Amino acid sequence: MAFALNTYPITYRSQFTDGKWSGEYLEKPHKTPEEEAAMNADDRVRLENSRNYYDDMPLVNYTSQYGLACFEGLKALPQKNGGLAIFRPDQNAARFARSMTGLCMPPFPEELFMEAVTETVKRNAQLGFTLKYNSDWEKDSYMTADSVYIRPFTMGEGGIGVNLSIEPYVMVITTPVSAYFKPGRSDALVTDKIRATPNGTGWIKACSNYVISALAKSEALKAGYMECVYLDATDRKYIEEGSSCNIFFYLKSGELVTPELGDTILPGITRASIIELSRDKGLKVSERKISIDEAMEETKECFVSGTAAGATPLTSLTYKDKKAVFNDGNEGDFTVDIRDTIKGIQYGKLPDTKGWLVQVI
Ligand code: COI
């Protein structure tokens, strides 16, 4: 399974009208998962794709015309002892509300967010659309493990003028996914493109931020790299993020560094969790500026983090005509250890001492 779209049948939809949110669960055509698996591939794909179409929503809207929208990404993880649990959904609920407020939309209430994501996962599971734990995932510390990806997002109401969205929709879809990055080669290219500028939307999980990501990442892929890394817009020398994930440098000195939050960095929930777990391990963790020169000279291990990315190693960085290879091109011990810890908690192999999991089934 890849990081691909195969929408489960039940979707949540709400719209802010008459000063309130009115939500509903929509059920799209489906058979049982076993019957769908037995269908010929073309028919199955047609059925799965049909679940992604809605003909009762406005075509010309502030999202389709001007990219005014934001989203979240979170996962329901099959638990080692059975069932499914969502990792820190309260954090996504809070960030979604902040993102919507940042885009001058009425924020989606956090308690409604919690209910919509858990209920969407649960209702699909009741139809049989869910995943089971596989102990083979432990062999590569969950690099290639599956999960139910939950994608809440906003969509603008109909309109053609450049305008704010005051009556947005909020949708929640779910889809099974596997690894976002292919395990193996993981060279990264420092791109000239700029993801976010001061006083812009970099701190918001705004859909429009990902336009540059798609462009920069496709350039990197074409040039034979797996990932791209951005520098800041002002000095053009401080590292900011990977294509759609935060970034960490485990330095030769033993310090773990990640760029400090500001208005150009996305406040990642995996980022915050890795910081906390690394501090628990006794590491010196700094949220500070790190220049490309320091990163290239002083790094022992580098990895990107995110809901989709997990903790994926970058084994080299190429900037202009210089290439720095980390840990002889191999994934380092710290990266494996921190991924083992966070994924172990997420999949219920390690105890959830922080109360980060919300059990759904
Ligand atoms: C996530 O990590 O869930 C994200 O939102 C990144 C996404 C663009 C794949």
Side-chain angles (χ1 to χ4, degrees):
M1 196 192 301
F3 198 86
L5 180 65
N6 169 6
T7 319
Y8 280 169
I10 295 183
T11 291
Y12 173 81
R13 177 171 69 182
S14 186
Q15 191 181 12
F16 191 75
T17 44
D18 301 327
K20 61 176 191 327
W21 291 97
S22 313
E24 59 187 333
Y25 293 90
L26 307 170
E27 187 167 330
K28 288 289 198 166
H30 64 90
K31 298 173 185 281
T32 65
E34 296 72 29
E35 284 166 351
E36 289 191 10
M39 288 168 77
N40 84 51
D42 286 351
D43 289 345
R44 191 182 62 243
V45 169
R46 219 169 286 128
L47 175 62
E48 288 167 357
N49 284 346
S50 75
R51 303 204 275 254
N52 191 31
Y53 284 81
Y54 291 81
D55 59 11
D56 58 349
M57 293 181 78
L59 177 65
V60 179
N61 62 62
Y62 300 128
T63 304
S64 67
Q65 304 305 297
Y66 307 116
L68 183 69
C70 60
F71 69 94
E72 274 304 320
L74 59 166
K75 282 180 172 174
L77 305 126
Q79 298 294 290
K80 193 172 168 76
N81 296 326
L84 268 185
I86 308 183
F87 185 67
R88 308 192 77 179
D90 55 322
Q91 299 297 306
N92 296 87
R95 189 173 64 184
F96 194 52
R98 285 199 306 274
S99 290
M100 291 181 77
T101 303
L103 296 176
C104 295
M105 293 175 190
F108 193 57
E110 293 174 41
E111 61 283 4
L112 273 189
F113 181 102
M114 295 292 283
E115 187 187 311
V117 299
T118 49
E119 212 33 49
T120 305
V121 171
K122 194 186 285 173
R123 288 182 187 222
N124 279 298
Q126 282 161 353
L127 295 180
F129 289 84
T130 185
L131 295 172
K132 290 227 172 337
Y133 191 84
N134 179 345
S135 49
D136 283 351
W137 297 337
E138 294 173 18
K139 291 184 191 150
D140 61 2
S141 65
Y142 299 95
M143 240 341 245
T144 52
D146 300 338
S147 58
V148 178
Y149 189 76
I150 309 167
R151 174 53 66 83
F153 60 97
T154 70
M155 176 123 137
E157 67 272 33
I160 189 77
V162 176
N163 224 329
L164 297 176
S165 175
I166 55 169
E167 294 194 329
Y169 293 90
V170 165
M171 314 273 304
V172 179
I173 69 99
T174 50
T175 176
V177 295
S178 188
Y180 186 66
F181 288 109
K182 273 202 201 118
R185 183 177 174 175
S186 58
D187 299 304
L189 177 67
V190 178
T191 173
D192 283 343
K193 293 207 161 18
I194 295 173
R195 173 186 173 274
T197 54
N199 301 315
T201 58
W203 62 280
I204 296 173
K205 208 159 168 62
C207 296
S208 53
N209 294 344
Y210 292 81
V211 175
I212 295 292
S213 290
L215 298 176
K217 185 154 173 189
S218 81
E219 273 177 11
L221 290 177
K222 253 187 236 149
Y225 298 88
M226 181 197 80
E227 174 60 322
C228 66
V229 169
Y230 298 104
L231 298 182
D232 73 292
T234 310
D235 298 304
R236 307 297 292 129
K237 69 173 193 179
Y238 296 107
I239 297 199
E240 298 233 305
E241 290 193 10
S243 65
S244 51
C245 26
N246 297 118
I247 191 163
F248 283 85
F249 298 90
Y250 180 56
L251 302 185
K252 293 170 191 160
S253 65
E255 180 188 8
L256 181 67
V257 180
T258 190
E260 65 198 339
L261 296 180
D263 61 0
T264 62
I265 305 276
L266 189 83
I269 292 149
T270 310
R271 173 189 179 280
S273 309
I274 287 176
I275 291 173
E276 190 171 330
L277 293 169
S278 302
R279 286 194 175 129
D280 290 352
K281 287 177 190 286
L283 238 74
K284 176 179 179 201
V285 184
S286 308
E287 297 178 69
R288 64 166 172 87
K289 286 191 193 312
I290 177 163
S291 71
I292 179 67
D293 290 345
E294 181 184 2
M296 292 187 81
E297 279 157 30
E298 300 302 328
T299 298
K300 186 158 186 279
E301 298 175 28
C302 173
F303 59 93
V304 284
S305 74
T307 298
T312 301
L314 297 184
T315 47
S316 76
L317 264 189
T318 299
Y319 176 53
K320 298 192 171 156
D321 52 2
K322 238 173 95 186
K323 178 172 185 168
V325 177
F326 309 129
N327 202 43
D328 296 327
N330 300 309
E331 178 168 39
D333 292 345
F334 178 73
T335 309
V336 175
D337 180 55
I338 197 69
R339 191 173 60 245
D340 261 339
T341 306
I342 190 163
K343 294 281 180 182
I345 295 170
Q346 291 178 335
Y347 284 91
K349 190 179 97 172
L350 297 178
D352 174 27
T353 54
K354 293 172 187 289
W356 280 347
L357 295 180
V358 171
Q359 202 72 33
V360 182
I361 49 170

